[in-house]
Structure formats: C-alpha cells, structure tokens
Amino acid sequence: MTMLKQFGIIFFCSLLSPSQEVLSGLSCAVSPGAMQNVLSDAIIQNGLLQQHLQGLVLPNIVGDGGLLNSPTSITGLHLVKSQLPKLSVVLLPGIGVQLTIAAKLELSGNCLVGLLSDLIDILVDVNITANIKCTNFESGTVQVVIEDCLCILGAIKIKILSGLLSLSVNEIVLNQLRATLPGLLCPVVDIVINLVNIQLMGTLNAVIPVGTAGTIHYQLASLPFTSGLFLGLDLDGAVKQVGGSIIPHDSSASALPPLLDKLLVLGLRQSFLNAVLSLLIQIPPQTFTCTPEVFSGASRLQEAITTLVPAGCSTCRGTSPLSVKLTLSGNPLILLEENKATVELSVMIQVFVQHLDGPILNLLLLKADLGLNAQVSIAGSRLVLGLSLGSTSLSLESSDVGISSISDLKPHCSSLLVETFLPLINGALGIGIPLPNVLGIPLIKVDVQI
C-alpha cells in the first residue's frame, strides 16, 4: 500500500528511537514530568503560591464553650507561611491536567478563652486537587478553567503560647477550619493558575526577530490536547518580512509522534520552513569580472566559453576578462525525505562583455537548478541549516551570439557557484531559525530527525 507522506523536521530533547509517525506541522509534545517541573517552578519555586496565600485571612472563630467551658474567640487568624509545598501533575486524556498541591499551612492569631488572651499557632496539612481544562481557543490563546477543585485537610496541630489548650478550643478550631479553609484555598489556586496560564502562553505566543530580515510570530494553532503520555501543543508561525506582508504557507493540522518518555518534542512543517527560507535567502544580484581572484576556475570558464563563440563574432574575442552576473531566481524550496533534507533553488548566470565604448553583449544567459544537501542542527535555540552542493542542472536561456551547446560548461559553472554564491547563501542562513521557548524548557541534548 502506498501512502502519501508530508514530512517535517522533529526535535527530541534527548536521544530517541526513530518513529514511524510522520509530522505534518509545527508541534510540540510535553511529558508529564516536564509539565510538572514547569508548573512547580512557576507556582512553587517562584513564590507565586506563597504570595497569594500571604493575603489569606480566615474568619473569626467563636465558640460558646458549652456548659463547662469558657467562651472562646479566635481573631486575626492569618497565614504566616506555607511549609514544604509540593506539586504533582497527572495528565487526563482528553480533559487536561490534574494538579495536586500538598503543603503545611502555618496560621497564627489571637485566642481569647474567657478572660485570658493568648497567641495561637495552627499547623494544618492541606491537599488541593484541581482538574485544569483549556477552553475558548481564539487567536492563538486559550482560557483555562478549574473543574472539581477538592481541598482535603489532614493533620492539624494547635499550640497556645501558654500551653493551656482546652479540649473545647481544639474541637472548635478543627470544626471551623474544615468548614471554611477549603472554600478559601480553591479560589487562590484558581487565581494562581490563571496567572501561570498568562505566563506560559507568552512562551507560545511570541514574536521573535529573524535577524534583520523579518519576524516569526509563533502561536498555538489549536487547543492543546492530552493523552496519558504527553500534553500536545500544535504551534504555527506567521513569517513576516520587515515592512512587508506575511509569507503564506500551509497551516494544516499536525500529527505528533509518541513522546517516549522524553521531555519535549518540537516539529516544523515543511511549508513553514519554505516560508522562512524565502525570508532568509534574499541575496541581491552579484556582478564581478571572471578572474582568478574571484574564483580559481575563472580562466578555464573563460576559455571554455570562448571556444563556443562562433568564428564570425569579432567583438566576442578579446583579452579582457568576461563579466558574470549571478541572480537568484524564484524562492528556495526545501524537500524533506526520510533522514534527508535538500534545498532546491535556481540561479541565473549571465555572462557578458562590455567594452568601454560599446553596449553590453550577452554571450550567455544560463539557468542553474541546484540541489543543495542540508545539514540540520540546533545551536542556541535556533535551527541552523548548512548547505553543500549536491547536484547542478544547467540549461541555456538565451545567447546574443548564437551559442547553442553548453554541455562543457557545467563543471565550470558548478565551481563558480560553489566558490562565489554558495557562501552567500550559507551566510544568510547562518543566523538560524529562532525556535519558540516552549514553556521555558531549554533545548539541550537535542536529536534532530527528518
């Protein structure tokens, strides 16, 4: 059975066995472990949860003390700090992310038992579980909503400075915390998650300059999706010239390969790469005299062309060197096959003579169709292509002096392009294609597959 495959380049942030899946878009997949690290850094390590819990103020706790005990009043109960917060993540297939935060909350307030006033410290274990779902996709952004937030209190330790703690105080505190604390913590988690969503969306919805040639606007192409193995993010990039319009490319939906326990998978669709190559490879026409200073085979090229000139063309033959003009024709095209990348582009080669007192005489106008082998690598969060000549196809476009056979010129023209034009192309590609900083996960130990 024959299958039509649309190829792309895939980056695995660790060594990975070849996959039979074929990528058709710019996508990434994030493992549960990587997602847990990202959220832990954003929520716990950066102090975001602590910051929003810091303003947590609990309602006053009042108890009549019953028949045998004095009335009890606990006021000003507030969070001092959260101890040993720990975050864990589970991916829910087709739903989203289940986030669990476990912490010890240290509370402090004033306790009045009868006529005796004292400080009270409370240490309570909390376990908050929230299901996070992405929704309302629009213009590359999504909204997150929390469904089924559940807050369970564990062990509660109460200490009064004087050490005199009645059973009634203990019972009153336990009952009131279990009744009020869950309703206060879930809204805090909701605020924190929405702030983190804005922060993380910034890594997926970003405008990145491509040297001085233009920009790439990376953004989500669709809602994120989850499996039990990875969180999938389908990205796209709008390629725009400086002061110009967007270079169009096919933005078809993407198919991701399995993550296979790696941190991150990124993919670039072939059509997207073609748009970026059109942005990067914008080389103005190059005109020079055909001398050994320009390229080593200049004399051989001039001799070969001279032998092709008809005998009756007296103005074609002279001792001065020929002039050559190289012009990029059309847009470059990258072709991706299994474990192989080739860039195809065309160059017009104009060979002419211009005498001091006469017009330009075009000896040859040739079209060289080049197949350039591409070496793909990652350097500094950029995709870098290095090109070398693979094949040359030479065709005659026109000749003002009647030259009709050019078969002997192919090796000389290939040498000319390798020495003069190919370095310009590699120089234009040398800045690389900037890649998005997806969720802040660095591109290290990257394996590139085509």
Side-chain angles (χ1 to χ4, degrees), residues 186-353:
C186 279
V188 171
V189 172
D190 184 67
I191 293 172
V192 168
I193 291 300
N194 277 281
L195 290 174
V196 169
N197 179 57
I198 294 172
Q199 174 186 333
L200 296 183
M201 281 295 109
T203 70
L204 305 175
N205 195 338
V207 178
I208 307 177
V210 186
T212 58
T215 59
I216 298 176
H217 182 186
Y218 287 109
Q219 63 180 16
L220 279 174
S222 60
L223 273 173
F225 61 93
T226 55
S227 72
L229 297 176
F230 61 82
L231 169 70
L233 305 169
D234 188 12
L235 304 179
D236 200 4
V239 183
K240 186 176 182 179
Q241 296 176 329
V242 169
S245 59
I246 292 176
I247 301 174
H249 69 275
D250 180 18
S251 297
S252 303
S254 305
L256 281 170
L259 193 63
L260 299 182
D261 299 327
K262 306 307 173 187
L263 286 180
L264 175 67
V265 178
L266 288 177
L268 298 176
R269 66 192 78 199
Q270 180 172 278
S271 56
F272 169 80
L273 291 172
N274 281 326
V276 179
L277 288 183
S278 297
L279 178 68
L280 289 176
I281 303 179
Q282 299 185 34
I283 300 173
Q286 305 291 311
T287 303
F288 46 83
T289 55
C290 188
T291 63
E293 291 77 19
V294 174
F295 85 106
S296 60
S299 58
R300 293 190 297 273
L301 175 62
Q302 178 156 330
E303 181 181 350
I305 293 176
T306 302
T307 60
L308 299 177
V309 174
C313 183
S314 59
T315 59
C316 304
R317 303 178 186 276
T319 57
S320 60
L322 302 177
S323 295
V324 177
K325 182 178 181 180
L326 302 178
T327 306
L328 188 64
S329 176
N331 292 322
L333 178 68
I334 189 167
L335 299 178
L336 302 176
E337 305 171 70
E338 195 76 25
N339 300 319
K340 181 182 180 182
T342 305
V343 174
E344 294 186 348
L345 55 82
S346 298
V347 180
M348 304 304 296
I349 306 175
Q350 180 186 5
V351 183
F352 60 94
V353 176

Side-chain angles (χ1 to χ4, degrees), residues 44 78 185 209 313 353 380 394:
I44 306 295
H78 62 280
L185 292 178
C313 183
V353 176
L394 202 63

Side-chain angles (χ1 to χ4, degrees), residues 174-190:
L174 293 179
N175 291 338
Q176 289 295 322
L177 287 182
R178 290 194 175 105
T180 60
L181 200 53
L184 297 173
L185 292 178
C186 279
V188 171
V189 172
D190 184 67

Side-chain angles (χ1 to χ4, degrees), residues 10-16 27-35 38 203-204 229-233 235 256-267 381 435-447:
I10 306 174
F11 315 103
F12 299 96
C13 291
S14 187
L15 293 178
L16 182 65
S27 307
C28 71
V30 184
S31 72
M35 194 67 208
V38 166
T203 70
L204 305 175
L229 297 176
F230 61 82
L231 169 70
L233 305 169
L235 304 179
L256 281 170
L259 193 63
L260 299 182
D261 299 327
K262 306 307 173 187
L263 286 180
L264 175 67
V265 178
L266 288 177
S381 296
L435 301 174
N437 182 27
V438 177
L439 306 182
I441 300 174
L443 295 178
I444 56 176
K445 297 182 181 179
V446 180
D447 178 39

Side-chain angles (χ1 to χ4, degrees), residues 4 35-37 93 95 107 110 128 181 256 270 307 309 350 363-364 418 438 442:
L4 180 63
M35 194 67 208
Q36 180 167 307
N37 292 339
I95 299 176
L107 308 173
N110 298 308
I128 308 167
L181 200 53
L256 281 170
Q270 180 172 278
T307 60
V309 174
Q350 180 186 5
L363 301 183
L364 286 169
V418 167
V438 177

Side-chain angles (χ1 to χ4, degrees), residues 383-399:
L383 174 69
V384 180
L385 299 179
L387 305 182
S388 60
L389 183 62
S391 63
T392 305
S393 176
L394 202 63
S395 59
L396 175 63
E397 296 291 304
S398 64
S399 172

